[in-house]
Amino acid sequence: MGDGLAAASHPCTAAFFDRPVLAVAPDLLGATIRHGPVVVRLTEVEAYDGVDDPASHAARGPTPRSAVMFGPPGRAYVYLSYGIHWCVNIVCGPPGQACAVLLRAGEVLAGRDLLRPRWPTLPERDLARGPGRLGRVLAAGPTMTGTSVTGDGPLTLYRPALDADPDPDADPGAVTRTARATRIDSGPRIGIRTATERPWRFWLADDPTVSGPRRPPARS
């Protein structure tokens, strides 16, 4: 990463993604994802829990579209939404569970000079605000499906920087939780028609790039 971000971060390993989806999803907040010169810091994600989740594309078992979700973890799953937007998901959990995290929103950290001429009137906070726009700034497309995000594919996910790496035998998510100081909120998933009550959307509290409601639902 020639823009200096490489010195401050390390690619996520396959072990990072080989965990339950509800552990991986919040740990992705504050991480960065790169495609070429464009780098985005993730501020909002959404978890989908495989065949036991009626809102998941894998709920009916493997299909030509969802087969990649069944593993291995650490792969991209990119699908076309409403025939318009390419949405980026990251497969996680042990092979066969078909879990994935939808990348919903982020802040563009590098590559703005390339993006701004394409969308000159769009406020900077909105460049990657929402899964469609996030996929757009990453130039996402169907050829990315099935490719690794751990360093040898077109997309690479980097964990937040730490002053020193943790014990290699420690929890793979510990590095992210330690590096991230911003509070995380969670609430119902949005943009779906079923299982909307599950509080599996996670976001960085008060971040202006979050696409959905920024306040968690009131507890009764």
Side-chain angles (χ1 to χ4, degrees):
M1 296 169 72
D3 48 28
L5 292 174
S9 53
H10 304 274
C12 294
T13 65
F16 177 90
F17 300 102
D18 192 7
R19 299 181 292 142
V21 68
L22 295 181
V24 175
D27 282 347
L28 284 173
L29 296 173
T32 54
I33 186 168
R34 168 185 279 275
H35 183 207
V38 176
V39 179
V40 178
R41 180 180 68 98
L42 299 176
T43 60
E44 182 185 10
V45 298
E46 211 165 54
Y48 288 87
D49 199 15
V51 296
D52 295 324
D53 182 355
S56 170
H57 290 172
R60 296 182 179 179
T63 66
R65 179 171 78 163
S66 69
V68 66
M69 296 179 68
F70 287 80
R75 306 276 174 161
Y77 166 44
V78 181
Y79 67 85
L80 189 63
S81 176
Y82 297 108
I84 302 173
H85 304 296
W86 292 102
C87 296
V88 179
N89 302 255
I90 310 300
V91 177
C92 59
Q97 290 194 0
C99 302
V101 179
L102 170 65
L103 308 185
R104 285 201 57 89
E107 173 193 10
V108 177
L109 299 182
R112 295 190 194 95
D113 55 333
L114 300 175
L115 301 172
R116 179 51 65 198
R118 299 179 63 184
W119 303 292
T121 63
L122 194 64
E124 192 166 289
R125 73 166 192 173
D126 291 340
L127 284 172
R129 188 181 180 207
R133 287 177 176 169
L134 178 56
R136 186 173 66 178
V137 302
L138 291 173
T143 60
M144 291 179 177
T145 288
T147 60
S148 171
V149 298
T150 61
D152 53 0
L155 297 172
T156 303
L157 265 161
Y158 295 85
R159 67 194 192 198
L162 286 180
D163 292 334
D165 282 342
D167 183 333
D169 295 325
D171 174 3
V175 62
T176 305
R177 289 192 294 272
T178 304
R180 184 188 56 230
T182 305
R183 189 182 84 245
I184 290 177
D185 282 336
S186 64
R189 297 178 294 187
I190 56 180
I192 55 177
R193 299 179 180 178
T194 185
T196 56
E197 74 286 352
R198 300 185 186 188
W200 291 353
R201 183 173 68 93
F202 303 90
W203 64 93
L204 295 181
D206 303 320
D207 193 291
T209 66
V210 171
S211 67
R214 297 189 190 93
R215 292 184 179 181
R219 291 179 171 85
S220 56

